[in-house]
Structure formats: C-alpha cells, structure tokens
Amino acid sequence: MKKIKEILAQTEFSKADLVCLLQAEREERQLLFEAAQARKVATVGKKVFFRGLVEFSNICAKDCLYCGIRKSNEKVLRYEATDDEILEACRFAWENRFGSVVLQSGELSSPAFVKRVDRLLQAIKKMSNKELGITLSCGEQTKETFQRWFESGAHRYLLRIESSTPDLYHKIHPQNELHAYEKRLDCLKLLKECGYQVGTGVMIGLPFQTDEDLAEDLLFLKNLDVDMVGMGPYIEHEDTPLYAYRSQLKTKQERFDLALKMVASLRLLMPDINIAAATALQAIDPVGREKALKIGANVIMPNLTPCDFRKEYQLYEDKPCLDEDAALCRNCLEARIELAGSEIGYGEWGDSKHFYRRQEVTK
Ligand code: SAM
Ligand code: SF4
C-alpha cells in the first residue's frame, strides 16, 4: 500500500488512493488535513461565503427512507412560509451583506409550486436591487422549470445525488419511478445545460455504505465536473424506515471524522470548487462546521428560517440552531469563523471559481 505522503504529492487520485486517504489515522490524518488546508488557501483563498438558508416549506411528495420530513411521516406539521416571511428573511440576508440566499424545500412539481418559486425569485431580485445571489434546492424538476427559474434569477442549484452507487441509492429510496437514480442524475445534467452553477453531494456514514462507495462518490463528483459540493454525515431520525438499521451505523463521531476526511480529500481532488460546511456536522460537534472550514470547505449556510418553522424541518435528530434567531446566529458564526483562521466574504456572491473555468473551456 502506498504511503500517504506519496499520495498527497500527486495531483491525480485513483480509487485506491482515495480509500487510503479516507482511512488515514493519527499523523497521516493530520498530513491529509494540512495538505487540504494548504490547497484550499492556494486556490480559493481564506474567504468563507455566507448563504442564508431559508427552508420555506416542508411539504414533500417524496418518501426518501432517511429523511425526517418524508411524505409518510405523519408526525410532522406541514408548513409553507408566506411570501412576506420569505422576503423578510431574504431582506435580513441582504441588509447583513450575506451575498446570497439558498431557498430550500421539500420536492413538489405542481404548477402552483413552480409558479410560486418563480414569483419569489423575481420578488427577491427586486427587493435587493438584484444584489442577492440565489441558490435553489427544491428537488427534481423538468428542464422547462429549471430554465424558467434560471431566467427569473436563480443562478445556482443544489441537488445531492445522496449516493452515486446505484445499488446503495436504491437501498435508501423506495423502489419506484418517483425515486429513480437515473432521473436524479439526468436532472444534474439538465441543470448544467440551463447554465446553473451546479452543486451536488452525498451523505456520509449511511447504513450499508463502504469506504469504497465513498471513494466512488468522490470520483463521481470529479467526473461530473460539478461546481459546488455539499456533503455531510448521515444522521438517523427515529420516524424514518432507515432507523431500523441504526445498529449497523458507525458512531456519530466516526461519521463526523469520515465527513471531514471526505471534505479534505475532495479539496485535493477538485481544488477550485466551492465546498459547503454541512449543517449536519454541527449536529454532532458544536464547532463541526468550523472544523470543516479549516480543512477544505469555504461556504457556510447560516439558518434564516423563521424560528417557528425550524422544529418542523427536522431532517435528522439533534438538528442545531432550533431557537437561535438570525442575528444571534450571525454574531456567533462570525467569531467562530475568525477563530478557524478564515475571513468572511461579506456582500459577495462567492461564486465557484471552477464554474468560470469550466465556462472558459467550453467557449
Ligand atoms: N427536497 C430537496 C432534495 O431532496 O433535494 C431539498 C431538501 S432535502 C431536505 C436536503 C438534503 O437533506 C438532502 O439532499 C439530504 O442529503 C439531506 N438529508 C435528509 N435527511 C437526512 C439525514 N437523515 N441525515 C443527513 N442529511 C439528510
Ligand atoms: Fe423530500 Fe428532499 Fe426529504 Fe427526500 S430528502 S423526503 S425529497 S425533503
């Protein structure tokens, strides 16, 4: 087996190399983190970009086996924030110079939903003199819908592949057309065709998942040539079918550690993309996101969802910041990011450098 030092000196990585990085312990783990940190500073710099997260509705037509707000979970009180509530959260982001917002929701494709998102995009652009950048994370849609939302002002889209291994994907989703792997993959390609900066990602530490699967995930992200990645630990939720497999899980601390190694390895594999420090990291370690920023991530998503709705957007147990208001959240983050040796890119969209490079190549 190759030594970590040898692997870290490379610029191309095989699946075996990546497995080796994911299994690094003690001094080798430290070397991986140091190399990723140096690569991050050299390519995307020390700036961290804020994306104010607005979870505007938990109504979902899908039944992903891991997700707390899946359609069949009858314990969840379903909500839809009003246009005013959403605009107010976006105004907070704009006035506090967050640069961008992420509008996230359960997956719906009704004409009314498509129209509503469209209207919101236009209203946010108008309210902010076109200054706020907007990322959408509203699940799988048709090309027409993606195109329409792009034209109304969304310029980034997050759609996690969840697991790039079709076998594992099938194990964590119901077996029907609504949850088809091929459709999700197709959507990622459509998003690129429409001109979005495209983000995807995976959950780490899923039941049945191996280190080889995770190495495949990293290579998948590279082959798809994505601009942004958000990936974090899988955390169980007791009202979901996957909870039955909790005895097979790694400990939360092990999943957390593996997630950090995934972030560091990805920074080496794709040096100029944007990588988000996932909120789920914070559910395991109070300074989990800051740890990820230190070793490779450069984007963070402070939660701006109106407090009353947060407890109904529980994707997994111990989801953080349930009752912290946005202003408090900002102050506490600012201090912690500075502690992690980074600075905040206030008022900047903080677009993916990789996206612009990709555009240059295809011109
Ligand atoms: N409905 C949209 C979708 O699925 O793309 C966007 C919202 S969905 C709640 C956002 C992400 O939450 C999913 O892509 C999934 O990776 C993550 N998620 C859901 N349940 C989770 C869990 N139990 N642990 C960690 N992440 C989870
Ligand atoms: Fe719905 Fe997204 Fe949760 Fe799946 S992950 S059930 S699509 S909100």
Side-chain angles (χ1 to χ4, degrees), residues 159-172:
L159 186 74
R160 284 185 176 180
I161 190 72
E162 317 295 0
S163 167
S164 69
T165 310
D167 249 14
L168 181 51
Y169 188 92
H170 293 136
K171 284 186 181 140
I172 60 171

Side-chain angles (χ1 to χ4, degrees), residues 291-310:
K291 286 183 181 169
L293 290 176
K294 199 157 181 212
I295 54 94
N298 66 330
V299 166
I300 195 159
M301 294 159 59
N303 197 341
L304 299 185
T305 306
C307 285
D308 289 349
F309 296 135
R310 290 191 199 181

Side-chain angles (χ1 to χ4, degrees), residues 1-2 4 7 10-24 163-168 208-223 258 261-262 265-266 269:
M1 209 189 196
K2 277 196 230 166
I4 290 277
I7 299 174
Q10 301 168 190
T11 48
E12 306 275 325
F13 304 90
S14 67
K15 181 174 167 186
D17 294 336
L18 293 169
V19 169
C20 203
L21 295 180
L22 296 177
Q23 294 178 346
S163 167
S164 69
T165 310
D167 249 14
L168 181 51
F208 327 113
Q209 190 179 47
T210 62
D211 291 346
E212 283 71 20
D213 290 330
L214 289 169
E216 287 286 1
D217 286 338
L218 292 170
L219 292 172
F220 168 90
L221 299 171
K222 172 91 178 168
N223 290 337
L258 197 49
K261 287 189 236 176
M262 282 287 283
S265 304
L266 182 65
L269 193 65

